């Protein structure tokens, strides 16, 4: 297949190399030439880690979106979720109707927002939009043309908007990644957004520790102390409450840690302590971090807005959004993924199932 | 004068010794005998620090409230504010009508709550209730019968409920403490509650740092990093907004730092860094701390409730209350000082001035 990978960061580089090594023709895009320049000339990425050590040859490395996404079978979007809106606008006229777009991950409402924009700009040729529940890889760019894969998730849920296109997408996507499992619809992937649980609250609840030490402590094992874990469990409960009220199947984050990492513990604090994959992961080096700038507007805000739709209160989620907004001097409740941006502002709860079907 | 000091902790011990060394007859009370037992037998407190080195002789050391507060000229309440309610109930039948009660400090709504309870239980003989805006001393108990005074505030505002009794109270109180300056009414002292700014948010925003190191960092100089200071300034702005809407004079916390410590800086972060008195003050050693258990229910909650009365939103204050409630598994919004507990639940804004006059 011809496959476009959008985003040249840790995840994008890794996915581009991984897919190229399977024998597909891979084109990679990033908005910023400085991100690509390390491997733009030779178009090679040296991959190392749990996927083996090998050199992947890419077909195209470009900052021109049209050179990358035109006429491909699949577009893998591996950017921060706050880039989805702009990418959707720019891609609208470039996509074939049978191209499959996959967001790795969508955070909350990624496919909904992406699809709303494509429909508004190119109603006749709108492709199905898939969203993964999380990124497959634990990985880091380790050099100009090198990426290291530390681990793979055992299982990655994905869903497609419209859900009726799930079979067609699965046919092409699952052969690439055996970990990918289709679920009912994009509400299920969007509501099982564990980044919303793991990222913003532990960052904000350790603000000065981050600023005083440049994040020189472990985000999970140290930053999620017993009291921080209580707050995360409360946020998780609010997320589950919203899902229930909307009639969407979901699981606890503790259960997710068991499904994805094989950790069997009863509460979130113990499960995080027991998860060896989290060992050594450093906290953000400053509060200018995607743990806030991506996970608040693209995860907590849409969860809070879905709560409004469901008439479920989300006071702890709201508290984290408020503190993030003060720290970043940005009204994330307005700037983030609102019901309007997800195309749900005129959708009654009873119609939600049909809307994503 | 005969003066009762309620509370045998750092502040109470220091104040009892300080007043006794002025030549007054001092009786000290604490609910817990373990707090008093270090100096109960000899009834002596060794005071050291900026007030000089001397041994104070107390008249009475007791866990019986009636032995301490009956027939005194003044009652100094130097306990956590969450003890005010119980003390008021127990003291109601013991106080003379001309005894003066002073809360050191009242936090927010201390005199209002104290007075409401006394009125409800002993309508005919209710004394005036004064509240200080802050504790005069920076001090610590340093041994069984020793206390150390590190510094004194340059200025401590106080107010009396009813305000009409201010002159009568000032006549007896100001000769004891030259730093004490009367202000218009208890709304002014209650709304200039800087503990509400300095204590809960920096604690909650460094939760794991506290739990992982047992608070082995400086609460002010390290715990109030630039981003934490932004949150404190937002909370300060909400406090000032409530005061304005209620027609109560107040000043910024930056101005307060100038008035009280002589620090002249433009923003809160710089002012805190520049205040040498804050140097070396350690963070709470756990999240089971008065910085939450006192300052959330007795400072932030009444500020939020006064905001409701004033129809002023207090979203950042609300966010800290929410996180504190989750961490302490307590609904502080209900447990704390509500409008009802302050006796203001049926008081229209227009009547507020008369209510405290």
């Amino acid at each position: 297949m011809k496959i476009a990978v959008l985003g040249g960061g840790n995840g994008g580089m890794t996915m581009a190399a991984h897919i190229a090594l399977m024998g597909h023709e891979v084109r990679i895009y990033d908005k910023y030439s400085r991100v690509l320049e390390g491997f733009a000339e030779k178009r090679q990425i040296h991959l190392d880690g749990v996927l083996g050590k090998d050199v992947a040859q890419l077909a195209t490395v470009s900052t021109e979106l049209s050179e990358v996404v035109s006429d491909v079978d699949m577009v893998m979007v591996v950017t921060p979720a706050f880039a989805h809106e702009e990418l959707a606008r720019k891609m609208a006229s470039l996509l074939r109707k049978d191209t499959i777009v996959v967001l790795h991950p969508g955070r909350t409402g990624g496919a909904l927002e992406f699809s709303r924009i494509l429909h508004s700009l190119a109603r006749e040729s709108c492709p199905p939009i898939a969203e993964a529940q999380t990124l497959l890889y634990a990985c880091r760019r380790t050099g100009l043309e090198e990426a290291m894969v530390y681990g793979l998730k055992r299982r990655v849920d994905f869903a497609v908007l419209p859900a009726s296109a799930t079979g067609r997408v699965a046919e092409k996507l699952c052969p690439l990644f055996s970990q990918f499992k289709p679920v009912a619809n994009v509400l299920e992937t969007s509501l099982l957004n564990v980044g919303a649980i793991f990222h913003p609250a532990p960052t904000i609840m350790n603000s000065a520790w981050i600023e005083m030490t440049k994040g020189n402590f472990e985000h999970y094992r140290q930053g999620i102390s017993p009291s921080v874990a209580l707050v995360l469990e409360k946020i998780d409960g609010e997320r589950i409450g919203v899902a229930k009220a909307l009639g969407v199947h979901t699981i606890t984050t503790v259960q997710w840690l068991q499904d994805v990492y094989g950790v069997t513990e009863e509460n979130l604090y113990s499960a995080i302590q027991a998860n060896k994959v989290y060992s050594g992961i450093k906290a953000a080096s400053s509060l200018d971090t995607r743990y806030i700038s991506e996970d608040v507007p693209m995860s907590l805000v849409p969860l809070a807005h879905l709560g409004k739709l469901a008439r479920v209160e989300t006071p702890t989620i709201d508290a984290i959004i408020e503190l993030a907004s003060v720290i970043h001097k940005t009204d994330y409740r307005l700037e983030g993924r609102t019901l309007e941006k997800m195309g749900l502002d005129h959708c009654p709860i009873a119609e939600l199932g049909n809307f994503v079907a």
Side-chain angles (χ1 to χ4, degrees), chain A residues 13 20 22 33 43 69 78 92 122 165 172 175 193 225 229 257 260 267 283 294 314 337:
Chain A
M13 250 179 108
M22 295 176 195
S33 57
R43 287 175 283 127
V69 302
V78 199
K172 291 191 173 174
N193 177 355
S225 64
L257 285 167
V260 170
N267 67 55
E294 178 178 6
T314 55
R337 262 187 198 139

Side-chain angles (χ1 to χ4, degrees), chain A residues 218 221 261-263 270-281:
Chain A
E218 293 197 18
R221 297 273 193 109
Y261 294 112
V263 171
S270 306
I272 288 166
Q273 292 296 317
N275 186 5
K276 286 181 187 159
V277 175
Y278 287 156
S279 177
I281 297 178

Side-chain angles (χ1 to χ4, degrees), chain A residues 55-77:
Chain A
V55 180
Q57 183 67 49
L58 310 181
T60 305
V61 176
S62 174
T63 57
E64 284 298 322
L65 199 57
S66 59
E67 289 179 11
V68 173
V69 302
S70 306
D71 200 34
V72 294
D73 300 292
M74 214 179 278
V75 178
M76 304 300 201
V77 181

Side-chain angles (χ1 to χ4, degrees), chain A residues 15-327:
Chain A
M15 188 173 286
H18 185 200
I19 296 174
L21 287 169
M22 295 176 195
H24 299 287
E25 182 184 324
V26 173
R27 309 172 183 180
I28 191 167
Y29 160 87
D30 200 281
K31 189 179 174 180
Y32 303 105
S33 57
R34 62 177 158 72
V35 173
L36 300 175
E37 65 190 6
F39 54 92
E41 203 182 309
K42 287 198 240 167
R43 287 175 283 127
Q44 289 182 343
I45 294 172
H46 296 246
L47 201 65
D48 200 354
V50 299
L51 290 169
K53 195 176 165 79
D54 210 338
V55 180
Q57 183 67 49
L58 310 181
T60 305
V61 176
S62 174
T63 57
E64 284 298 322
L65 199 57
S66 59
E67 289 179 11
V68 173
V69 302
S70 306
D71 200 34
V72 294
D73 300 292
M74 214 179 278
V75 178
M76 304 300 201
V77 181
V78 199
T79 65
F82 51 65
H84 290 168
E85 185 176 356
E86 185 183 328
L87 283 174
R89 282 187 201 293
K90 289 185 176 169
M91 278 161 65
S93 62
L94 303 172
L95 292 173
R96 292 191 332 227
K97 193 179 161 66
D98 66 337
T99 300
I100 290 166
V101 176
V102 187
L103 310 179
H104 295 271
R107 300 294 173 196
T108 297
L112 285 164
E113 183 178 21
F114 218 97
S115 182
R116 180 189 61 77
I117 293 168
L118 291 187
H119 271 100
S120 72
L121 295 174
R123 196 171 297 268
E124 281 169 32
S125 61
C126 189
I129 312 293
E131 65 178 27
Q133 180 266 330
T134 184
L135 182 66
L136 172 61
Y137 315 100
C139 59
R140 279 284 176 279
R141 182 176 189 161
T142 47
L144 285 177
E145 48 181 15
E146 291 153 29
M148 172 70 83
V149 186
Y150 300 105
L152 299 177
K153 305 272 193 332
R154 287 186 185 190
R155 173 190 168 128
V156 175
D157 289 349
F158 76 96
V160 185
L161 184 66
S164 57
T166 304
R168 183 149 58 93
V169 171
E171 240 170 60
K172 291 191 173 174
L173 188 57
C174 295
L176 292 176
F177 308 121
S178 61
Q179 298 85 353
F180 273 53
K181 305 292 178 202
V183 296
N185 58 47
V186 293
L187 294 173
E188 195 169 328
T189 40
S190 279
L191 277 157
L192 186 51
N193 177 355
V194 296
I197 312 300
F198 288 138
H199 297 160
T203 302
I204 283 163
M205 292 180 74
N206 290 298
S207 288
W209 201 5
I210 287 172
E211 291 191 308
M212 288 296 110
T213 68
K214 295 184 179 164
N216 188 23
F217 62 93
E218 293 197 18
H219 177 82
Y220 289 89
R221 297 273 193 109
Q222 297 179 293
I224 303 178
S225 64
S227 292
V228 175
L230 281 181
V231 171
L232 304 200
E233 288 201 325
K234 178 64 164 45
I235 291 174
D236 203 41
E238 292 178 3
R239 175 186 67 76
I240 292 165
V242 173
K244 269 197 183 150
L246 295 177
V248 176
H249 171 262
T250 196
I251 55 174
T252 64
T253 295
V254 169
Q255 182 63 49
W256 181 86
L257 285 167
Q258 181 169 341
D259 293 354
V260 170
Y261 294 112
V263 171
T264 53
E265 294 284 337
E266 295 223 327
N267 67 55
L268 200 50
Y269 176 74
S270 306
I272 288 166
Q273 292 296 317
N275 186 5
K276 286 181 187 159
V277 175
Y278 287 156
S279 177
I281 297 178
K282 282 286 168 76
S285 62
S286 81
L287 292 181
D288 182 13
T289 165
R290 280 172 59 180
Y291 280 1
I292 297 177
S293 64
E294 178 178 6
D295 285 292
V296 172
M298 300 296 145
S299 301
L300 290 181
V301 167
L303 282 174
H305 278 271
L306 288 169
K308 261 192 191 171
L309 182 69
R311 299 213 180 97
V312 170
E313 302 229 319
T314 55
T316 309
I317 288 175
D318 296 347
I320 299 298
I321 294 171
E322 170 64 19
L323 295 177
S325 296
V326 173
I327 290 171

